[in-house]
Amino acid sequence: PGCQTGPWLHLDTLISGEIVYINGNSQYIFFIPTLATDMSFRQLTTGMTTAALLMSSSLAWANTTLDFESPLPAGLVAASFWQGSAVTAQNLIGDNYLSLGVAVSGAALVNLGSGHAASGINGLSGVSGSSGVDYGAAYSFEFLSPTNSAIAATTNYFSITPDLWGGSFNTVTLSAFDNSNQLIGSRSFVENVGSLGTLELNGICAFHKVVVAASLVNPNSGGIGMDLVTFGDLTAITPVPEPETYAMMLAGLGLLGLAAKRRRQKPGA
């Protein structure tokens, strides 16, 4: 439900519920439920079709972009871009963009420099366990209601732009998760050209969180700085009552009915 349709993908491999599609420097992984042994061919193909549909990136879903340039949220400043540079509390991005509907975790604002950052000079890096700039450390974006950050939200589109001077053959992976932290799908890119352009996640149903992770070939050869985070329209997630809640509701209605019946009975009946 909520999936968008688009061009067909060629299914290269189907192993343990995963559909893997490899095209050039991009790899798409889709996940389908474990198939029951008595599942009909129609049910099987329907499940595979739903998992394997990818929407064209030309559709304009996106409506919110974070460029990490001035004016920055109060108290946020950029750290040095060098791998291992110290990261302070002022460099960490967290709840700074809650008013736009996104909470960031594990990312630092860094000065990538002109010609590297797609938006100007600032971009993102991960943060190591020793509080240093680490382009090999993952960070995440969690979507929330812009008017109430206590309410989770989902989107159908996410994109991010890497360093404009690439070519280090590092790999960056975008992974989408639902509100239960279950992996919905992922897409990997190999930085084998000067500029990969915009990296996108779309066509995999609505997702609540995106994790950006890089695998460095050689930390000394340069990491993958990121910039220009864009996401589509946000939809608040309506909480689904637990079974216990339904049981209590039914019990309450039963008691109200019993009370009404007794009131209708005549005295002494």
Side-chain angles (χ1 to χ4, degrees), residues 62-68 93 97 100 102-104 107 118-119 122-124 139-143 155 157-162 174 198-199 210 212 226-232:
N63 71 334
T64 302
T65 297
L66 310 181
D67 63 9
F68 307 108
I93 305 175
Y97 296 98
L100 297 178
V102 62
V104 186
S119 65
N122 291 333
L124 303 175
Y139 47 93
S140 65
F141 301 86
E142 184 178 5
F143 303 108
T155 183
Y157 178 87
F158 177 89
S159 71
I160 195 167
T161 304
L174 309 182
T198 301
L199 315 184
V210 172
V212 179
M226 293 292 175
D227 192 15
L228 285 180
V229 171
T230 301
F231 52 91

Side-chain angles (χ1 to χ4, degrees), residues 221-243:
S221 67
I224 306 178
M226 293 292 175
D227 192 15
L228 285 180
V229 171
T230 301
F231 52 91
D233 294 337
L234 297 177
T235 301
I237 298 176
T238 302
V240 178
E242 297 291 335

